Amino acid sequence: MLRIAIQSKGRLYDDTTTLMKEAGIKVNRSERALLVRSTNFPVEILYLRDDDIPQTVASGIADIGVVGLNEVMERGEDIETIQHLGLSKCHLSIAIPKSLEYTGPQWLNGKQIATSYPNILKKYLDANNIKAQIHIITGSVEITPHIGLGDAIFDIVSSGSTLVTNNLKEVERVMDSDAVVVARKDMTENKRAIVNELLFRFQAAIDAQKKKYIMMNAPKAHLKEVLSILPESAKSPTIIPLADENWCSVHTVLEEKHFWECIGELKKVGAQGILVVPIEKIVL
Ligand code: ATP
Ligand code: MG
């Protein structure tokens, strides 16, 4: 039985439980249970605050965990990062009040910076020869400059809307983060095999999220042009005859971003009835 630590509630909880569901791992959690066995896969889920996940994995209480890279770097525990999931993407940045003029990293010299990530911040300041005072605070970091608790903040940014609301501007982007799978270092062969199966399923679910199955009707006379518009990655589309001899149906898998690039051109050469369907899993 493999034990996985995940966040008990919050942003990562949503992304992780959705991913597990897509990976076919059934977990029936009764309200606020802290340790729950899957009913169809040899894993049990331990629900924790995200701050505690790196240490729980390092000490072997859990075998693996799903947590933001930001927490992994901040905690500095002796664990392995074995897969990037590309979910809960954000970055850690320094921000200052909008009204102030920022002249570069040396502006931070002698200033006070409020953060919940003192270790990552200290590394950045040391690497850039900046002498600043770090003020550790565990929540509502973005209001500190307005209540006189520091000149700048170092915190998580995703869309930047929280900064705008609080009259702050991002001046240094220090690190990028996404949800990662971390593992303890001394795992048995048996457990490693379960981890590999799990990572394989996660990857299939993640690959599927980025891709779409597309179908369209194309006039046979313009089939060559339709195929030339489809990107290289859509290897050998399926071509199906239709009752009307002058038309055929073209099916292929596309990254969603390519779909938006191609759609106008496909219509121009006569493609019609373009259907886009989500894909549940892809095994490459
Ligand atoms: P906990 O109660 O478990 O300690 P928390 O309040 O520390 O929760 P959340 O806000 O749920 O944490 O965020 C968890 C992780 O999700 C963060 O460490 C970060 O990796 C990521 N994250 C946070 N905010 C965002 C955001 N706005 N956009 C994308 N990812 C984010
Ligand atoms: Mg936390």
Side-chain angles (χ1 to χ4, degrees), residues 6-13 15 48-53 67-71 87-92 117 138 156-160 162 177-179:
I6 73 167
Q7 194 190 26
S8 57
K9 62 174 167 46
R11 212 169 271 275
L12 280 169
Y13 171 83
D15 281 349
L48 297 174
R49 283 201 60 181
D50 70 342
D51 315 50
D52 298 330
I53 293 174
V67 67
L69 186 64
N70 52 324
E71 283 299 334
L87 305 169
S88 302
K89 278 190 180 174
C90 58
H91 42 277
L92 286 178
Y117 296 93
T138 53
I156 289 175
V157 178
S158 60
S159 68
T162 312
S177 177
D178 66 336

Side-chain angles (χ1 to χ4, degrees), residues 67-269:
V67 67
L69 186 64
N70 52 324
E71 283 299 334
V72 178
M73 302 308 279
E74 179 61 26
R75 305 285 149 184
E77 296 284 353
D78 192 18
I79 47 181
E80 276 178 77
T81 297
I82 55 173
Q83 191 182 33
H84 279 262
L85 299 175
L87 305 169
S88 302
K89 278 190 180 174
C90 58
H91 42 277
L92 286 178
S93 296
I94 296 174
I96 66 168
K98 231 191 312 192
S99 55
L100 299 180
E101 194 191 336
Y102 183 72
T103 47
Q106 291 309 319
W107 182 93
L108 298 161
N109 257 318
K111 301 284 196 303
Q112 195 183 50
I113 310 171
T115 187
S116 318
Y117 296 93
N119 293 324
I120 299 174
L121 178 58
K122 184 169 187 313
K123 251 191 208 156
Y124 170 81
L125 295 176
D126 288 350
N128 287 279
N129 268 323
I130 301 163
K131 299 252 174 306
Q133 211 187 323
I134 299 176
H135 181 83
I136 303 173
I137 181 166
T138 53
S140 307
V141 175
E142 59 282 352
I143 66 155
T144 52
H146 304 296
I147 54 170
L149 252 183
D151 308 289
I153 66 163
F154 176 61
D155 201 12
I156 289 175
V157 178
S158 60
S159 68
S161 57
T162 312
L163 294 183
V164 172
T165 315
N166 289 286
N167 277 316
L168 297 167
K169 61 180 176 187
E170 184 176 16
V171 293
E172 297 292 340
R173 185 163 165 162
V174 174
M175 80 165 272
D176 290 336
S177 177
D178 66 336
V180 294
V181 181
V182 290
R184 61 189 274 199
K185 287 202 155 157
D186 50 347
M187 232 186 298
T188 62
E189 277 298 304
N190 193 5
K191 285 187 174 180
R192 277 203 182 271
I194 305 173
V195 171
N196 288 339
E197 170 66 22
L198 195 67
L199 295 187
F200 166 73
R201 291 190 186 195
F202 280 173
Q203 198 58 54
I206 292 164
D207 287 342
Q209 282 169 5
K210 287 186 257 162
K211 299 200 172 166
K212 300 284 176 227
Y213 191 85
I214 82 161
M215 297 175 258
M216 72 199 86
N217 290 339
K220 271 193 187 155
H222 294 288
L223 184 60
K224 259 203 184 136
E225 285 119 299
V226 167
L227 298 183
S228 70
I229 291 165
L230 296 175
E232 281 285 308
S233 55
K235 272 188 235 152
S236 295
T238 306
I239 298 164
I240 302 168
L242 294 178
D244 181 337
E245 280 182 0
N246 297 318
W247 286 78
C248 59
S249 177
V250 179
H251 293 203
T252 193
V253 172
L254 273 191
E255 285 197 35
E256 200 170 11
K257 62 175 189 214
H258 283 135
F259 171 77
W260 292 113
E261 284 165 18
C262 302
I263 179 97
E265 291 181 61
L266 287 170
K267 280 168 72 181
K268 255 190 242 163
V269 296

